[in-house]
Amino acid sequence: MTGYASAQHDASIPGGDGDTRVPRTSRLGVELRSVNSRFLDLAFRLPDELRPHESALRERIARQLKRGKVEVRAFIETSNGELLADPSPRMLQRLNSLQDSVRAWLPSAVPLSVAEVLRLASGDSSRGTEPIDWTEILLPLADRVLSDLREAREREGARLAVMLTDRIVQLRTLAEKAGPLVPQLVEQQRQRFLERWNEALALGEGSVPPEAARERALAESTAFAIRIDVVEELTRLRSHLDEIEALVDKGGEIGKRLDFLIQELHREANTLGSKSATLELSRISVDMKVLIEQLREQVQNIE
């Protein structure tokens, strides 16, 4: 199923002992994107700092999701508020001394600008700060995002359930239309066989006894009726529809079972088409296959 969820967590980066600089802040973000897929396919986009946690993230997601192509993205953004902090006199003295040394050897070197001084000073200010340990933050944040994704997928599942129910109703209607066609066809064919045997008797001038001709015509019509009988197929089709409807109402992890039932529906519709002896029954079989294919495409997205 499709779905998207994200969350962020802000944390301050502590400085060293006696550090009076403006503290930096880091933001950890986690995003989960899910699209339709028959199997669970996980793709991770993590910064180097979070790579060691990929295995734990994979395990957490696999416990709660069974299907879908899921992209897991995490990022760390660090604010640059410390760029506006005042450079210390010691730092300015050091930069000036370095600049004099460089220009002593390279007189044509351009003096440092104010922006360059601030940039170099801010680069030095990051030294001595302690990195954030994201271990205790990442996994709970991922759990929260995963919960939000499941809710989004459940909403998508509710919409799919409405679609599945609608297709089931249409398939039941087609099955009801197909049911009365077979007895009517058998009766028509029986009358046609009798008429043809009567014509053959007239041309044969009584060479075949009427009773034998009638029995042969009835035997042919019976064989024809057996050959085109689709009562069993329609019965199984209705049974499969009942089971699908019950699974949709029940919810839960029903995707694989629905896959199997859709295959069985397709088999019954194919048999119905192969036994078809009228154009109307053939059209019903084709319409059933179209609806079943629509069911199959959507069922692949259900866990």
Side-chain angles (χ1 to χ4, degrees), residues 133-153:
D133 183 6
W134 296 107
T135 303
E136 297 182 358
I137 301 174
L138 175 62
L139 296 182
L141 186 64
D143 287 339
R144 194 174 87 193
V145 177
L146 186 56
S147 177
D148 292 343
L149 178 66
R150 285 180 60 87
E151 291 179 2
R153 285 161 63 106

Side-chain angles (χ1 to χ4, degrees), residues 58-275:
R58 184 182 297 274
E59 182 181 351
R60 269 173 155 77
I61 295 171
R63 280 202 304 261
Q64 299 197 44
L65 303 180
K66 302 304 179 184
R67 283 186 171 188
K69 185 175 183 180
V70 182
E71 179 183 348
V72 184
R73 178 175 177 265
F75 59 88
I76 298 174
E77 295 177 347
T78 302
S79 68
N80 293 320
E82 74 279 359
L83 288 177
L84 300 179
D86 293 338
S88 65
R90 181 180 177 183
M91 172 56 61
L92 293 175
Q93 183 180 7
R94 182 183 177 193
L95 290 175
N96 187 57
S97 175
L98 290 172
Q99 178 177 245
D100 290 343
S101 297
V102 171
R103 297 192 70 187
W105 290 94
L106 301 172
S108 60
V110 179
L112 290 171
S113 65
V114 173
E116 290 171 332
V117 171
L118 291 175
R119 178 173 57 81
L120 292 171
S122 66
D124 182 78
S125 68
S126 63
R127 299 175 185 175
T129 59
E130 300 176 4
I132 295 178
D133 183 6
W134 296 107
T135 303
E136 297 182 358
I137 301 174
L138 175 62
L139 296 182
L141 186 64
D143 287 339
R144 194 174 87 193
V145 177
L146 186 56
S147 177
D148 292 343
L149 178 66
R150 285 180 60 87
E151 291 179 2
R153 285 161 63 106
E154 286 174 2
R155 291 191 293 270
E156 177 72 12
R159 290 190 288 269
L160 283 178
V162 173
M163 188 282 295
L164 294 178
T165 301
D166 176 69
R167 300 302 185 274
I168 291 172
V169 170
Q170 295 184 51
L171 284 169
R172 289 188 188 280
T173 301
L174 290 174
E176 294 301 321
K177 289 181 179 178
L181 293 178
V182 175
Q184 296 174 8
L185 181 61
V186 170
E187 180 59 26
Q188 293 173 4
Q189 194 65 23
R190 189 178 71 86
Q191 293 296 331
R192 189 176 298 116
F193 280 142
L194 289 174
E195 292 173 0
R196 289 180 178 176
W197 280 109
N198 290 330
E199 292 175 358
L201 285 174
L203 293 174
E205 296 180 351
S207 59
V208 179
E211 292 78 6
R214 182 176 179 82
E215 289 178 3
R216 181 64 183 274
L218 292 176
E220 291 290 339
S221 63
T222 301
F224 175 78
I226 294 174
R227 189 167 61 252
I228 69 167
D229 184 26
V230 293
V231 172
E232 290 186 7
E233 285 75 13
L234 293 176
T235 300
R236 286 194 294 266
L237 189 143
R238 293 188 186 98
S239 176
H240 297 329
L241 292 177
D242 290 340
E243 183 67 15
I244 292 173
E245 202 166 34
L247 288 173
V248 171
D249 291 339
K250 178 182 177 182
E253 296 180 7
I254 60 175
K256 291 183 178 180
R257 188 169 181 82
L258 287 177
D259 270 340
F260 171 75
L261 290 171
I262 294 302
Q263 293 176 8
E264 294 302 306
L265 280 180
H266 200 273
R267 182 177 293 110
E268 303 304 338
N270 272 336
T271 306
L272 185 67
S274 65
K275 288 185 174 183

